Amino acid sequence: MIDENETVPTQGPWAPQAPQEVARLLAGADFPWWIAGGFAIELAVGEPYREHGDLDVLMLHRNQEKVRRFFGEWDLFMADPPGAGTLRPWPPGGVLPARVHDVWCRRGPDEPWSVQLMFDEADGEEWVSRRDARVRRPLAQLGRVTSTGVPYLSPEVQLFYKAKNVREKDQLDFDRMLPRLDATERAWLVGALELVLPGHDWLGRLRR
């Protein structure tokens, strides 16, 4: 029986699945999902260019019951304090609190973590940023699909999330993606950054 008060440290081992493997895993899911994180930028760029320590999949918080049922007996843990750097079980039938946006997934307790679920909000047919509800996007425009049918988060939206605390890998993702952003995508990212992170270092390059 799962102890819902159990905690585990947010440490490896990680063996992230590839986007194509996740697409096969989620085939037939009755809820929308998008590859997110660095893999989303890599899919938009169209070629691999760096290593990835995990794999993020964006889902909508309002679909949490469907998501939990779909993952069945998988070992799912939510990044939900009290303890910083720890995870708590998300058992079948359990409720994902509104404050939780990050769930680590593995097939069993002796298996490595392989998928990280990121939960965002929605208002009707609009995606709403969990960081600032003023930043929105029609759900129909939230993602793209590769030629092989893998849905992924639109790169300008992913770059908005990466902009808050820019690490070396985030800067690399921005540098690789910037020449490929069209005028509409640049304008959306500029608007979102001006609203939430005015004065961000990326704004000057985006406006050129």
Side-chain angles (χ1 to χ4, degrees):
M1 179 176 293
I2 293 175
D3 179 1
E4 296 186 37
N5 295 314
E6 174 193 2
T7 61
V8 300
T10 53
Q11 299 174 359
W14 263 91
Q17 293 189 328
Q20 295 77 11
E21 293 174 322
V22 171
R24 289 192 290 270
L25 169 67
L26 293 172
D30 58 347
F31 48 84
W33 59 272
W34 304 264
I35 297 294
F39 272 114
I41 303 298
E42 198 167 84
L43 289 172
V45 168
E47 61 183 12
Y49 58 85
R50 70 170 176 86
E51 294 183 355
H52 301 270
D54 59 10
L55 181 136
D56 300 332
V57 182
L58 183 70
M59 298 182 176
L60 300 180
H61 206 282
R62 68 188 182 189
N63 293 326
Q64 62 161 295
E65 292 183 14
K66 293 180 179 180
V67 173
R68 190 61 191 89
R69 284 198 302 270
F70 189 89
F71 277 86
E73 295 305 315
W74 274 57
D75 215 27
L76 270 55
F77 278 73
M78 45 187 165
D80 180 22
T86 60
L87 304 166
R88 286 201 304 112
W90 183 21
V95 176
L96 193 67
R99 65 183 177 273
V100 173
H101 303 287
D102 185 359
V103 173
W104 292 28
C105 311
R106 58 190 179 186
R107 291 188 178 273
D110 298 323
E111 298 291 327
W113 305 107
S114 59
V115 179
Q116 190 166 352
L117 307 181
M118 312 299 293
F119 286 84
D120 264 6
E121 304 303 325
D123 180 8
E125 294 304 310
E126 276 194 319
W127 162 81
V128 181
S129 169
R130 64 181 179 272
R131 291 187 179 161
D132 193 313
R134 296 174 297 172
V135 178
R136 296 173 175 240
R137 194 79 179 272
L139 285 172
Q141 299 174 14
L142 188 58
R144 301 179 181 179
V145 181
T146 69
S147 60
T148 57
V150 181
Y152 64 96
L153 189 62
S154 292
E156 66 273 23
V157 178
Q158 184 58 66
L159 289 173
F160 166 72
Y161 274 132
K162 285 178 167 286
K164 183 178 180 181
N165 296 300
V166 179
R167 300 157 295 183
E168 182 178 353
K169 64 181 181 179
D170 302 320
Q171 187 63 50
L172 177 59
D173 289 341
F174 176 76
D175 293 341
R176 286 292 186 123
M177 192 64 225
L178 180 60
R180 296 169 171 83
L181 292 174
D182 65 26
T184 300
E185 293 161 350
R186 283 178 182 243
W188 185 90
L189 183 54
V190 166
L193 291 177
E194 286 179 336
L195 188 64
V196 180
L197 297 169
H200 195 282
D201 290 345
W202 289 352
L203 283 168
R205 294 178 62 190
L206 284 163
R207 294 190 183 109
R208 290 175 192 165

